[in-house]
Amino acid sequence: MTEPTWRHDVRTADGHTTIELTGEIDMSGSTRLQDLLDQAVNAASAVTVDVAAVGFIDSTVISAFVRANNTAATRGCRFVVVNPSAQVRRVLHITGVLSTLAEDTA
């Protein structure tokens, strides 16, 4: 079994879950990420995903974020991605989802 290329830390308080992601996330970790996001949006009233320490994402990660955002919207849960690194911000911008997922798109 290969070593994961990313880690996460989850904190929950007063119905708000913060997920801090670290590392490089690609299709090899996308199922684990989707499960993590699904669990969070189905249990919290607000979910913040901090990607400050993420250096790389691919289309499967974007898909996981969009799916989580859609599920959250259906449930009345707030979902936001914060602190994207320059590389992650660029990928989110190029794919057209930055303004949908990120709190501060400036």
Side-chain angles (χ1 to χ4, degrees):
M1 183 171 186
T2 60
E3 188 72 23
T5 60
W6 64 280
R7 297 185 327 269
H8 69 277
D9 181 48
V10 179
R11 293 184 318 278
T12 301
D14 299 324
H16 183 180
T17 296
T18 300
I19 302 170
E20 291 182 7
L21 301 175
T22 304
E24 296 183 352
I25 313 171
D26 59 20
M27 66 186 294
S28 68
S30 64
T31 300
R32 185 168 67 117
L33 176 63
Q34 188 67 68
D35 291 346
L36 176 67
L37 297 175
D38 286 347
Q39 183 179 14
V41 298
N42 284 309
S45 59
V47 176
T48 300
V49 181
D50 189 335
V51 294
V54 174
F56 174 83
I57 62 171
D58 69 4
S59 62
T60 61
V61 175
I62 295 167
S63 178
F65 286 161
V66 169
R67 178 176 159 185
N69 185 62
N70 292 342
T71 301
T74 300
R75 287 195 61 256
C77 172
R78 183 172 181 268
F79 180 87
V80 65
V81 176
V82 298
N83 301 322
S85 64
Q87 174 66 21
V88 170
R89 176 179 288 277
R90 181 172 185 268
V91 171
L92 295 175
H93 174 73
I94 288 171
T95 57
V97 298
L98 180 63
S99 63
T100 301
L101 298 176
E103 187 170 58
D104 176 20
T105 59

